[in-house]
Amino acid sequence: MTLAHIFNAKIPELSNPSVCMRDPQRVQEILQSMVKAGSNTVQVISDFDMTLTRFAYNGKRCPTCHNILDNSKLLSNDCKTELKKLLNTYYPIEIDSSRSIEEKLPLMVEWWTKAHELLVQQNIRKDLLAMVVQESDAMLSIPLLIFSAGIGDILEEVIRQAGVFHPNVKVFSNYMDFDESGVLRAFKGELIHIYNKREGALLNTGHFQELRTRPNVLLLGDSLGDLTMADGVEERKQSYLDSYDIVLLKDETLDVPNAIMLYLT
Ligand code: C5P
Ligand code: MG
């Protein structure tokens, strides 16, 4: 099968203008070997914020899990101001392609730790999470193993409300720890931030048991460790092309991953 044949006939979406590949030949080889191995060897692992949820809709930014809380009435104005300050300080660092991951990692841990500490002071009630997600602008673009540095309780509510929390969807994320009266007291387990997903995966060996029989992974993300692909994506394009097999530019759909899954199954 020729490259053109696969691209044009089997997965026409790969000819979408949003699709960029450093090495199309390599992508073809990977997809062919995945098809050959069979669909029972394939699994999907995906990031959540800005990958399964949209970056923007009608020109307006869509929220991350954390932003859903930041914008909600569950937080005091003082807390919102503090979180906004953190966002203004750390988000530019997150998307700064001139800094190395090594340089950014401790700063990201600082951001997540400070933000979670602020949230924990807010007596957030579990029974109100459904409402704030309902009132937010979060939008889903699909369903798998969702590995997110966002907030598990919020993320689950987003996919539940979109009606796609199917039994085959598993989530690794930062989960909230509520006391017996249903008020947020802490975050459970090890902190997941955008640059320690690998360590997180190694801690969750149970979940990855399946990975052994499914070595063919369609991995979806919006970041090199997992940073939001913002308007400045162009300047980061080269490092994305060097790291991801397929890079989608300004593509708010899952047409390409869906087309690949269709091809593989
Ligand atoms: O699901 P994902 O791993 O993408 O979630 C991480 C995202 O959450 C990051 O890209 C980061 O910009 C965002 N974040 C946030 N507020 C925080 C911490 C992280 O919006 N306090
Ligand atoms: Mg993301």
Side-chain angles (χ1 to χ4, degrees), residues 46-51 53 61 63-68 70 83 86-87 91 94-95 108 111-116 119 146-151 155 172-174 192-194 197 222-223 225-229:
S46 182
D47 176 51
F48 185 72
D49 293 305
M50 311 293 109
T51 299
T53 55
R61 279 291 304 255
T64 62
C65 290
H66 288 87
N67 302 153
I68 289 175
D70 302 349
L83 286 168
L86 292 179
L87 183 77
Y91 182 67
E94 180 187 347
I95 61 168
M108 293 300 105
W111 180 18
W112 260 257
T113 305
K114 286 180 181 165
H116 285 187
L119 291 176
I146 302 176
F147 199 165
S148 169
I151 302 171
L155 177 170
F172 295 171
S173 192
N174 297 302
I192 302 175
H193 57 78
I194 42 172
K197 289 191 174 182
D222 71 311
S223 133
D226 247 316
L227 71 122
T228 306
M229 190 169 344

